[in-house]
Short mmCIF file of all heavy atoms in Angstrom, two decimals:
data_model
loop_
_atom_site.label_atom_id
_atom_site.label_comp_id
_atom_site.label_asym_id
_atom_site.label_seq_id
_atom_site.Cartn_x
_atom_site.Cartn_y
_atom_site.Cartn_z
N LEU A 1 33.95 51.26 -15.68
CA LEU A 1 34.87 50.87 -16.72
C LEU A 1 35.63 49.56 -16.35
O LEU A 1 35.56 49.10 -15.27
CB LEU A 1 35.92 52.11 -16.90
CG LEU A 1 35.34 53.40 -17.24
CD1 LEU A 1 36.49 54.45 -17.21
CD2 LEU A 1 34.66 53.36 -18.51
N PRO A 2 36.26 48.97 -17.23
CA PRO A 2 37.12 47.65 -17.04
C PRO A 2 37.92 47.86 -15.82
O PRO A 2 38.51 48.87 -15.46
CB PRO A 2 37.79 47.52 -18.21
CG PRO A 2 37.17 48.28 -19.27
CD PRO A 2 36.54 49.51 -18.66
N GLY A 3 38.00 46.66 -14.95
CA GLY A 3 38.84 46.64 -13.81
C GLY A 3 38.42 47.41 -12.69
O GLY A 3 39.05 47.95 -11.90
N ASN A 4 37.08 47.60 -12.56
CA ASN A 4 36.44 48.25 -11.47
C ASN A 4 36.73 49.76 -11.43
O ASN A 4 36.58 50.48 -10.41
CB ASN A 4 36.90 47.67 -10.05
CG ASN A 4 36.31 46.29 -9.85
OD1 ASN A 4 35.22 46.02 -10.26
ND2 ASN A 4 37.16 45.47 -9.16
N THR A 5 37.18 50.31 -12.63
CA THR A 5 37.46 51.71 -12.65
C THR A 5 36.18 52.45 -12.83
O THR A 5 35.23 51.88 -13.49
CB THR A 5 38.38 51.98 -13.79
OG1 THR A 5 39.66 51.41 -13.70
CG2 THR A 5 38.52 53.58 -14.07
N ARG A 6 35.90 53.57 -12.16
CA ARG A 6 34.64 54.32 -12.34
C ARG A 6 34.99 55.71 -12.80
O ARG A 6 36.02 56.42 -12.51
CB ARG A 6 33.99 54.51 -10.97
CG ARG A 6 33.64 53.30 -10.29
CD ARG A 6 32.20 52.79 -10.63
NE ARG A 6 31.92 51.50 -10.18
CZ ARG A 6 31.83 51.00 -8.95
NH1 ARG A 6 31.99 51.84 -7.96
NH2 ARG A 6 31.60 49.80 -8.69
N HIS A 7 34.08 56.22 -13.64
CA HIS A 7 34.22 57.47 -14.25
C HIS A 7 32.95 58.42 -13.77
O HIS A 7 31.90 57.93 -13.89
CB HIS A 7 34.10 57.32 -15.83
CG HIS A 7 34.33 58.57 -16.52
ND1 HIS A 7 35.51 59.22 -16.78
CD2 HIS A 7 33.33 59.41 -17.19
CE1 HIS A 7 35.27 60.44 -17.37
NE2 HIS A 7 33.94 60.45 -17.67
N ARG A 8 33.31 59.61 -13.31
CA ARG A 8 32.33 60.48 -12.96
C ARG A 8 32.41 61.88 -13.66
O ARG A 8 33.44 62.36 -13.82
CB ARG A 8 32.47 60.84 -11.43
CG ARG A 8 32.21 59.81 -10.41
CD ARG A 8 30.74 59.72 -10.10
NE ARG A 8 30.51 58.64 -9.26
CZ ARG A 8 30.04 58.75 -7.99
NH1 ARG A 8 29.85 60.00 -7.44
NH2 ARG A 8 29.88 57.81 -7.25
N GLU A 9 31.29 62.25 -14.13
CA GLU A 9 31.25 63.58 -14.74
C GLU A 9 30.92 64.53 -13.66
O GLU A 9 30.09 64.34 -12.98
CB GLU A 9 30.08 63.55 -15.83
CG GLU A 9 30.24 62.59 -16.96
CD GLU A 9 31.42 62.84 -17.90
OE1 GLU A 9 31.71 64.16 -18.07
OE2 GLU A 9 32.09 61.87 -18.31
N LEU A 10 31.66 65.63 -13.70
CA LEU A 10 31.57 66.70 -12.73
C LEU A 10 31.29 68.00 -13.42
O LEU A 10 32.25 68.67 -13.90
CB LEU A 10 32.89 66.71 -11.97
CG LEU A 10 33.23 65.42 -11.19
CD1 LEU A 10 34.67 65.57 -10.71
CD2 LEU A 10 32.41 65.01 -10.23
N VAL A 11 30.05 68.40 -13.49
CA VAL A 11 29.65 69.47 -14.36
C VAL A 11 30.02 70.80 -13.69
O VAL A 11 30.18 71.87 -14.49
CB VAL A 11 28.19 69.61 -14.62
CG1 VAL A 11 27.77 68.27 -15.40
CG2 VAL A 11 27.37 69.70 -13.34
N ASP A 12 30.37 70.81 -12.44
CA ASP A 12 30.69 72.12 -11.77
C ASP A 12 31.52 71.76 -10.48
O ASP A 12 31.64 70.59 -10.09
CB ASP A 12 29.53 73.01 -11.57
CG ASP A 12 28.43 72.45 -10.81
OD1 ASP A 12 28.69 71.49 -10.09
OD2 ASP A 12 27.38 72.86 -11.00
N GLU A 13 31.84 72.79 -9.82
CA GLU A 13 32.56 72.71 -8.58
C GLU A 13 31.64 72.00 -7.41
O GLU A 13 32.19 71.29 -6.62
CB GLU A 13 33.19 73.93 -8.04
CG GLU A 13 34.08 73.68 -6.82
CD GLU A 13 34.83 74.93 -6.38
OE1 GLU A 13 34.82 75.97 -7.01
OE2 GLU A 13 35.46 74.88 -5.36
N VAL A 14 30.36 72.32 -7.52
CA VAL A 14 29.50 71.61 -6.53
C VAL A 14 29.52 70.12 -6.72
O VAL A 14 29.51 69.49 -5.74
CB VAL A 14 27.97 72.23 -6.87
CG1 VAL A 14 27.07 71.42 -5.96
CG2 VAL A 14 27.94 73.71 -6.53
N ALA A 15 29.60 69.76 -7.99
CA ALA A 15 29.64 68.21 -8.22
C ALA A 15 30.98 67.56 -7.69
O ALA A 15 31.07 66.49 -7.12
CB ALA A 15 29.45 67.96 -9.74
N THR A 16 32.10 68.44 -7.83
CA THR A 16 33.43 67.98 -7.37
C THR A 16 33.28 67.83 -5.84
O THR A 16 33.72 66.92 -5.24
CB THR A 16 34.47 68.90 -7.84
OG1 THR A 16 34.50 69.00 -9.18
CG2 THR A 16 35.87 68.48 -7.24
N THR A 17 32.68 68.85 -5.18
CA THR A 17 32.61 68.88 -3.71
C THR A 17 31.70 67.70 -3.40
O THR A 17 31.97 67.00 -2.28
CB THR A 17 32.01 70.12 -3.32
OG1 THR A 17 32.90 71.21 -3.65
CG2 THR A 17 31.71 70.18 -1.81
N ALA A 18 30.58 67.40 -4.04
CA ALA A 18 29.80 66.22 -3.73
C ALA A 18 30.50 64.99 -3.79
O ALA A 18 30.41 64.08 -2.93
CB ALA A 18 28.49 66.21 -4.60
N LEU A 19 31.34 64.75 -4.89
CA LEU A 19 32.11 63.63 -4.96
C LEU A 19 33.08 63.46 -3.81
O LEU A 19 33.18 62.43 -3.25
CB LEU A 19 32.89 63.54 -6.29
CG LEU A 19 33.79 62.40 -6.51
CD1 LEU A 19 32.99 60.98 -6.43
CD2 LEU A 19 34.58 62.43 -7.75
N GLY A 20 33.71 64.58 -3.36
CA GLY A 20 34.61 64.45 -2.21
C GLY A 20 33.93 64.01 -0.89
O GLY A 20 34.38 63.17 -0.11
N ARG A 21 32.70 64.45 -0.68
CA ARG A 21 31.91 64.20 0.46
C ARG A 21 31.45 62.70 0.42
O ARG A 21 31.47 62.06 1.40
CB ARG A 21 30.65 65.12 0.60
CG ARG A 21 31.04 66.49 0.92
CD ARG A 21 29.86 67.41 1.04
NE ARG A 21 30.23 68.74 1.45
CZ ARG A 21 29.72 69.87 1.14
NH1 ARG A 21 28.63 69.71 0.28
NH2 ARG A 21 30.07 71.01 1.48
N GLN A 22 31.00 62.26 -0.77
CA GLN A 22 30.64 60.84 -0.95
C GLN A 22 31.76 59.97 -0.72
O GLN A 22 31.75 58.92 -0.13
CB GLN A 22 30.14 60.72 -2.37
CG GLN A 22 28.73 61.30 -2.59
CD GLN A 22 28.53 61.36 -4.14
OE1 GLN A 22 29.23 60.78 -4.94
NE2 GLN A 22 27.25 61.93 -4.47
N PHE A 23 32.96 60.40 -1.18
CA PHE A 23 34.26 59.63 -1.00
C PHE A 23 34.52 59.36 0.44
O PHE A 23 34.81 58.34 0.99
CB PHE A 23 35.37 60.11 -1.76
CG PHE A 23 36.54 59.24 -2.02
CD1 PHE A 23 36.72 58.57 -3.17
CD2 PHE A 23 37.49 59.13 -1.02
CE1 PHE A 23 37.75 57.64 -3.32
CE2 PHE A 23 38.61 58.40 -1.27
CZ PHE A 23 38.62 57.61 -2.28
N ALA A 24 34.37 60.47 1.27
CA ALA A 24 34.55 60.59 2.76
C ALA A 24 33.61 59.43 3.37
O ALA A 24 34.09 58.66 4.25
CB ALA A 24 34.40 61.85 3.30
N GLY A 25 32.48 59.46 2.98
CA GLY A 25 31.41 58.49 3.53
C GLY A 25 31.77 57.01 3.16
O GLY A 25 31.47 56.14 3.89
N ALA A 26 32.50 56.82 2.02
CA ALA A 26 32.90 55.49 1.67
C ALA A 26 34.08 55.04 2.29
O ALA A 26 34.30 53.74 2.25
CB ALA A 26 33.08 55.44 0.10
N LEU A 27 34.82 55.79 3.07
CA LEU A 27 36.04 55.29 3.76
C LEU A 27 35.75 54.36 4.85
O LEU A 27 36.43 53.43 5.16
CB LEU A 27 36.90 56.56 4.31
CG LEU A 27 37.48 57.45 3.17
CD1 LEU A 27 38.16 58.65 3.87
CD2 LEU A 27 38.45 56.61 2.39
N GLN A 28 34.66 54.62 5.71
CA GLN A 28 34.18 53.85 6.84
C GLN A 28 35.37 53.41 7.64
O GLN A 28 35.57 52.12 7.98
CB GLN A 28 33.56 52.58 6.26
CG GLN A 28 32.14 52.95 5.59
CD GLN A 28 31.39 51.75 5.31
OE1 GLN A 28 31.73 50.65 5.45
NE2 GLN A 28 30.20 52.07 4.82
N GLY A 29 36.29 54.29 8.16
CA GLY A 29 37.07 54.10 9.22
C GLY A 29 38.48 53.52 8.97
O GLY A 29 39.35 53.50 9.73
N GLY A 30 38.77 53.33 7.69
CA GLY A 30 40.08 52.70 7.37
C GLY A 30 40.92 53.79 6.75
O GLY A 30 40.52 54.88 6.24
N GLY A 31 42.30 53.55 6.76
CA GLY A 31 43.13 54.44 6.11
C GLY A 31 43.19 54.22 4.65
O GLY A 31 42.84 53.13 4.24
N LEU A 32 43.71 55.10 3.89
CA LEU A 32 43.80 54.99 2.47
C LEU A 32 44.80 56.03 1.95
O LEU A 32 44.88 57.03 2.39
CB LEU A 32 42.43 55.37 1.92
CG LEU A 32 42.13 54.89 0.44
CD1 LEU A 32 42.01 53.40 0.40
CD2 LEU A 32 40.97 55.63 -0.19
N VAL A 33 45.49 55.58 0.96
CA VAL A 33 46.43 56.44 0.27
C VAL A 33 45.89 56.80 -1.17
O VAL A 33 45.63 55.84 -1.93
CB VAL A 33 47.90 55.87 -0.06
CG1 VAL A 33 48.80 56.85 -0.74
CG2 VAL A 33 48.46 55.64 1.49
N VAL A 34 45.67 58.02 -1.44
CA VAL A 34 44.97 58.48 -2.65
C VAL A 34 45.88 59.31 -3.46
O VAL A 34 46.20 60.45 -2.90
CB VAL A 34 43.64 59.14 -2.45
CG1 VAL A 34 42.95 59.47 -3.75
CG2 VAL A 34 42.65 58.26 -1.62
N TYR A 35 46.28 59.04 -4.71
CA TYR A 35 47.02 59.87 -5.55
C TYR A 35 45.94 60.63 -6.29
O TYR A 35 45.12 60.05 -7.12
CB TYR A 35 47.95 59.14 -6.54
CG TYR A 35 49.18 58.45 -5.80
CD1 TYR A 35 49.45 58.56 -4.38
CD2 TYR A 35 50.08 57.78 -6.62
CE1 TYR A 35 50.54 58.05 -3.84
CE2 TYR A 35 51.19 57.10 -6.01
CZ TYR A 35 51.46 57.33 -4.74
OH TYR A 35 52.48 56.82 -4.14
N LEU A 36 46.15 61.95 -6.53
CA LEU A 36 45.33 62.85 -7.23
C LEU A 36 46.08 63.42 -8.33
O LEU A 36 46.96 64.14 -8.31
CB LEU A 36 44.73 63.95 -6.43
CG LEU A 36 43.96 63.57 -5.24
CD1 LEU A 36 43.69 64.65 -4.18
CD2 LEU A 36 42.51 63.03 -5.66
#
């Protein structure tokens, strides 16, 4: 989406869990503050 925003469809809890795991892999050692 505009401004580097990304939209993910999460059809079930398995997809939500997969996104969390992928996000962890994208951190690569730095700190981050995430508002949910």
